[in-house]
Amino acid sequence: LGIDLSGCDFHHFMDICYRQNDDMEIQCAILIPEIWGLPAPLELGRQVKEIDKEFKKMVMYEEDVPEEEIQAQRKLWQDRIAQERAQGMIIRIGEREVDRVERLEQLEERL
């Protein structure tokens, strides 16, 4: 946003913990700046309001897509899902039935 917050005190708001690749835990801290301690907090507040107004002026637009293109994309997705399902149904040598059922349930959840 281009706003200098280097003179602010920051207050700890929350921590977010998540796992990445099943073995690495990452923790992020969310900090809130205390803008009232700055020399011109009201001016900073005005700047933020102006930036907010500019952001709200941005307009989302929808693009008309021909029905044939939508159907082609839908067919492509359905084909990929069918292919993944077929791959998942292949019996793996040495796999226990319990493990196979669990693997297939996970596959269906993903699809």
Side-chain angles (χ1 to χ4, degrees):
L1 297 176
I3 298 172
D4 181 15
L5 299 177
S6 62
C8 288
D9 289 330
F10 287 85
H11 299 279
H12 185 265
F13 179 68
M14 76 167 70
D15 289 323
I16 299 173
C17 297
Y18 61 94
R19 289 198 175 281
Q20 187 175 17
N21 300 335
D22 291 337
D23 60 344
M24 185 182 351
E25 185 173 296
I26 297 177
Q27 183 173 0
C28 297
I30 307 294
L31 305 173
I32 305 294
E34 183 181 315
I35 64 169
W36 300 112
L38 293 176
L42 296 177
E43 180 59 34
L44 181 60
R46 285 188 198 98
Q47 287 178 3
V48 170
K49 280 186 180 180
E50 285 299 315
I51 291 169
D52 187 51
K53 283 180 189 176
E54 289 298 316
F55 180 75
K56 287 179 180 176
K57 286 180 186 177
M58 294 180 190
V59 179
M60 298 281 291
Y61 67 93
E62 292 184 20
E63 186 177 322
D64 288 332
V65 178
E67 185 63 30
E68 298 82 27
E69 192 174 326
I70 293 171
Q71 291 301 327
Q73 188 64 43
R74 185 174 289 139
K75 174 87 170 90
L76 180 66
W77 289 337
Q78 289 171 342
D79 290 347
R80 286 183 183 166
I81 289 172
Q83 188 178 28
E84 281 192 46
R85 237 184 225 125
Q87 284 292 91
M89 295 302 283
I90 295 173
I91 296 174
R92 296 178 181 173
I93 297 173
E95 183 177 39
R96 297 181 312 165
E97 186 63 25
V98 174
D99 295 334
R100 181 174 183 268
V101 169
E102 184 178 335
R103 180 174 55 82
L104 293 175
E105 286 174 352
Q106 290 174 355
L107 174 66
E108 286 302 316
E109 285 176 16
R110 274 198 340 261
L111 299 177

